[in-house]
Amino acid sequence: LGDRRQRQMCIRDSAWELPQKEDRYIHVGIAVYDRSDTFMESYIRELEDKIGQTRILGKKVSYEIYDAEGIGSRQEKQLQEMYAQDYDVMLVNLVEPASAASVLTDAKDADIPVILFNREIDEKDLKISKNVWYVGTDARAAGVMQGKLLKDLWKKQSRILDWNGNGMLDYVLPVSYTHLRAHETGRNIV
């Protein structure tokens, strides 16, 4: 009986020493604010092509894309799902950049690195974790550059650009994509 018990202990103890099967993939969760956006769709297609050709530390990259369809509450639920999936890294394109602090704190708690892309966030939010990065443009600098280009173009071709002949540049500027979508669907946003 003593031998049998000793063998069981050895078997049980040795099970703890068995090497774990090594995962051959880097798992990436990708949260997108709205895939129906033309720019975002082409960006994601290009990203998928690059991921298919990429190896990180000799491992293939496995990914899943979550489309929030421009709805902040939907993206919040998707992000909660992503934290539970324990991705190796998350790529996040926020519906509402103002929610970055909450998103980054949750990712930090889940110990998941985050790469934010395309939608600029407040610089202080980037300091929430050492495992967060932003990839994109400086929106203010881009706006200044676009304004200068438009001003120069107006000086050279105002007769062609002034369609209604009022001597002014007329344009429509939506407050934000979220507000535009809300207007289209009849929802109120505070």
Side-chain angles (χ1 to χ4, degrees), residues 59-138:
K59 297 180 179 184
K60 291 181 181 180
V61 178
S62 164
Y63 65 94
E64 186 167 356
I65 298 173
Y66 295 79
D67 181 1
E69 298 177 353
I71 303 168
S73 59
R74 175 176 287 157
Q75 187 171 61
E76 179 56 35
K77 288 177 187 169
Q78 291 172 340
L79 290 167
Q80 293 303 320
E81 232 180 88
M82 291 171 76
Y83 305 137
Q85 293 294 326
D86 196 30
Y87 286 104
D88 295 308
V89 66
M90 290 172 39
L91 306 178
V92 181
N93 173 239
L94 292 167
V95 171
E96 297 173 21
S99 69
S102 170
V103 170
L104 296 174
T105 299
D106 289 347
K108 179 181 177 185
D109 292 345
D111 197 28
I112 302 172
V114 176
I115 300 171
L116 298 160
F117 66 97
N118 190 47
R119 298 192 125 186
E120 194 171 5
I121 66 165
D122 193 314
E123 194 169 323
K124 75 179 182 332
D125 294 337
L126 291 172
K127 297 175 183 169
I128 288 173
S129 168
K130 64 180 176 129
N131 289 324
V132 61
W133 301 269
Y134 169 70
V135 177
T137 61
D138 177 341

Side-chain angles (χ1 to χ4, degrees), residues 5 11 21-23 25 30 35 37 39 55 70-71 76 86-87 93 100 105 107 116 122 134 147 156 173:
R5 188 169 211 212
I11 290 170
K21 183 179 177 188
E22 193 172 317
D23 195 347
Y25 293 92
I30 304 170
R35 268 190 97 158
D37 176 281
F39 170 77
R55 289 202 187 299
I71 303 168
E76 179 56 35
D86 196 30
Y87 286 104
N93 173 239
T105 299
L116 298 160
D122 193 314
Y134 169 70
K156 293 177 185 173
L173 179 66

Side-chain angles (χ1 to χ4, degrees), residues 4 65 110 120 138 145 148 158 162 169 178 181:
R4 184 171 168 216
I65 298 173
E120 194 171 5
D138 177 341
M145 189 183 312
K148 184 179 178 337
S158 62
D162 188 7
L169 178 63
T178 303
R181 293 274 296 213

